[in-house]
Amino acid sequence: MNKNKTVLVCGGAGYIGSHTTVELVQAGYEVIVLDNLSNADASAVEGVEKIIGQKLKFYNIDCNDKTAMDNMFQKEQFNSIIHFAAFKAVGESVNQPLKYYNNNLQSLIVVLEMMKKHNVENLVFSSSCTVYGQPEILPVTEQTPRQEATSPYGNTKQMNEDIIRDTAAADKSLCSIALRYFNPIGAHKSALIGELPKGVPANLVPFITQTAAGIRETLTIFGDDYNTVDGTAVRDYIDVNDLAKAHVAAVNRLAEKKQKTNYEIFNVGTGNGRSVLELVKAFETVNNLKLNYKIAPRREGDIEKIWAETTLANEELGWKAEKTIEQTLESAWNWEKKLRNL
Ligand code: UFG
């Protein structure tokens, strides 16, 4: 393996990790997938292998397991890491904060320690637009001030950003990029990989597709009294394949030493806000079906509206979201149909 063309993907069996692995391989990188499968399924790795037409090197390791990580770093040659591995359920984090602080902070610390020990330079980190809270001015730029987190999950994203910032300040050999994702949705066009939520989905699009598949009776729309186009909350929904390509662009930037500073942050969104109802209608139209839905009160902790300013990512990463919302919602439905044999 060529060290500079090999990427370690921690959390590579997860939703965004699996799509990113596909894009990395298709861009000419070799990928080592690492995942403890605590919130992912080995079938995702098989799905990726089918798409790329080759076997992947896979390690079933928990990033918190320092000895196992040390051994793997010793054995393999790579110069870039994408660190996806983290818990991500906002509600669960409120009920089990220590689970989130323990896992999400410790795993990054181990990754950074191992990078230092084994002279691995490049890190791409999964951050989130959750760090902005409800911004006063939209769209949000990377300069928009962060706000106090409203959940332990959101707090771990802020703390992880700070851990990278401080480590990069102390150690100029660390080259790092945090990508602040907006709302990733959709699936690979092959329908071989997609989102696999465990239990009742908390996120909108998996709930929509499961309702369309008859697994859920009714979609609940949380709140129609927001100050938005139709009263429902507005988000920037980004196609997961486009998001995956942003990671390839970030890895390229690190490998080509194009960074302006050794810790950079980019928003990864489309730049367009869409309301919940707009998304539901677009899903119905493109897939030619009707969804059962009802309006209910606002969900606690939800913000009213957010969407990204993406100029920095467009100009510096040379990346832009390309898929239309229709293509993305079609891919989400195709994935659900394939899963349920519909
Ligand atoms: N929604 C519904 N019904 C549902 C599910 C969601 O109406 O059954 C609404 C929500 O109230 C919200 C919108 O759809 O207005 C989007 O909700 P999601 O749960 O899909 O996404 P969030 O924006 O709440 O959360 C996402 C990620 C988090 C991340 C956050 C950053 O899931 O990990 O974006 O803002 F922290």
Side-chain angles (χ1 to χ4, degrees):
M1 277 191 174
N2 175 348
K3 183 173 170 168
N4 289 318
K5 283 301 262 181
T6 306
V7 184
L8 174 71
V9 180
C10 298
Y15 175 43
I16 307 172
S18 56
H19 290 80
T20 300
T21 299
V22 168
E23 295 299 331
L24 283 166
V25 171
Q26 290 178 347
Y29 286 98
E30 300 214 37
V31 176
I32 302 166
V33 173
L34 186 149
D35 205 301
N36 68 354
L37 301 179
S38 68
N39 192 30
D41 201 283
S43 62
V45 180
E46 289 161 21
V48 172
E49 289 176 335
K50 273 192 197 143
I51 295 169
I52 62 177
Q54 64 185 71
K55 281 272 171 204
L56 283 165
K57 203 170 254 189
F58 175 74
Y59 282 87
N60 185 337
I61 288 180
D62 186 331
C63 290
N64 294 292
D65 183 343
K66 218 170 177 173
T67 310
M69 289 290 275
D70 203 8
N71 290 339
M72 191 274 304
F73 270 71
Q74 188 80 42
K75 210 165 135 201
E76 300 291 347
Q77 295 286 308
F78 51 87
N79 204 28
S80 298
I81 299 178
I82 307 180
H83 184 53
F84 292 105
F87 294 143
K88 60 171 186 178
V90 178
E92 184 187 55
S93 80
V94 174
N95 296 322
Q96 299 181 60
L98 293 181
K99 176 176 171 179
Y100 277 69
Y101 288 119
N102 204 358
N103 185 61
N104 292 8
L105 302 185
Q106 184 61 25
S107 62
L108 173 67
I109 292 168
V110 170
V111 166
L112 287 167
E113 284 177 343
M114 290 302 128
M115 289 177 73
K116 182 74 188 157
K117 181 169 177 190
H118 296 275
N119 299 313
V120 175
E121 290 175 337
N122 304 331
L123 176 70
V124 178
F125 174 69
S126 307
S127 192
S128 165
C129 70
T130 194
V131 301
Y132 296 118
Q134 177 59 69
E136 279 166 29
I137 302 168
L138 289 164
V140 282
T141 75
E142 291 78 358
Q143 305 307 320
T144 300
R146 297 186 325 189
Q147 290 184 31
E148 198 175 332
T150 53
S151 71
Y153 159 78
N155 208 13
T156 66
K157 289 295 174 197
Q158 297 203 2
M159 291 164 92
N160 277 331
E161 284 192 355
D162 294 346
I163 289 169
I164 298 171
R165 179 201 61 203
D166 295 347
T167 311
D171 176 3
K172 296 296 172 209
S173 70
L174 173 65
C175 303
S176 53
I177 291 178
L179 299 179
R180 288 180 177 160
Y181 312 154
F182 284 67
N183 287 55
I185 60 167
H188 191 264
K189 61 176 187 288
S190 64
L192 287 165
I193 51 172
E195 201 168 357
L196 268 177
K198 288 196 172 148
V200 181
N203 296 116
L204 179 61
V205 169
F207 208 106
I208 288 178
T209 56
Q210 290 196 9
T211 307
I215 298 160
R216 313 277 155 213
E217 208 170 296
T218 310
L219 166 74
T220 305
I221 295 180
F222 299 125
D224 68 348
D225 56 352
Y226 287 111
N227 182 22
T228 61
V229 55
D230 54 25
T232 63
V234 169
R235 298 286 183 277
D236 185 338
Y237 295 95
I238 167 96
D239 185 283
V240 68
N241 304 284
D242 281 340
L243 175 57
K245 287 182 181 150
H247 292 80
V248 178
V251 169
N252 287 342
R253 182 175 177 86
L254 294 170
E256 292 162 11
K257 306 233 167 283
K258 286 194 173 152
Q259 285 194 293
K260 296 209 165 124
T261 62
N262 70 330
Y263 171 50
E264 295 179 317
I265 299 172
F266 296 101
N267 283 344
V268 187
T270 66
N272 299 312
R274 278 171 212 278
S275 76
V276 175
L277 259 181
E278 283 174 338
L279 204 81
V280 167
K281 297 254 152 62
F283 182 87
E284 290 182 327
T285 305
V286 70
N287 294 313
N288 196 25
L289 45 78
K290 282 271 163 231
L291 277 177
N292 286 330
Y293 67 84
K294 63 172 190 225
I295 308 287
R298 295 178 180 194
R299 186 171 69 176
E300 202 186 333
D302 268 352
I303 59 162
E304 181 169 87
K305 52 189 163 196
I306 189 164
W307 62 93
E309 170 61 58
T310 61
T311 307
L312 197 66
N314 302 158
E315 290 179 356
E316 293 295 322
L317 291 179
W319 167 91
K320 203 173 187 324
E322 285 167 357
K323 300 264 190 210
T324 64
I325 196 78
E326 287 77 19
Q327 289 171 318
T328 306
L329 291 172
E330 201 176 358
S331 72
W333 179 225
N334 286 341
W335 164 244
E336 188 72 55
K337 281 194 290 188
K338 183 100 180 279
L339 267 185
R340 314 291 168 191
N341 295 318
L342 295 176

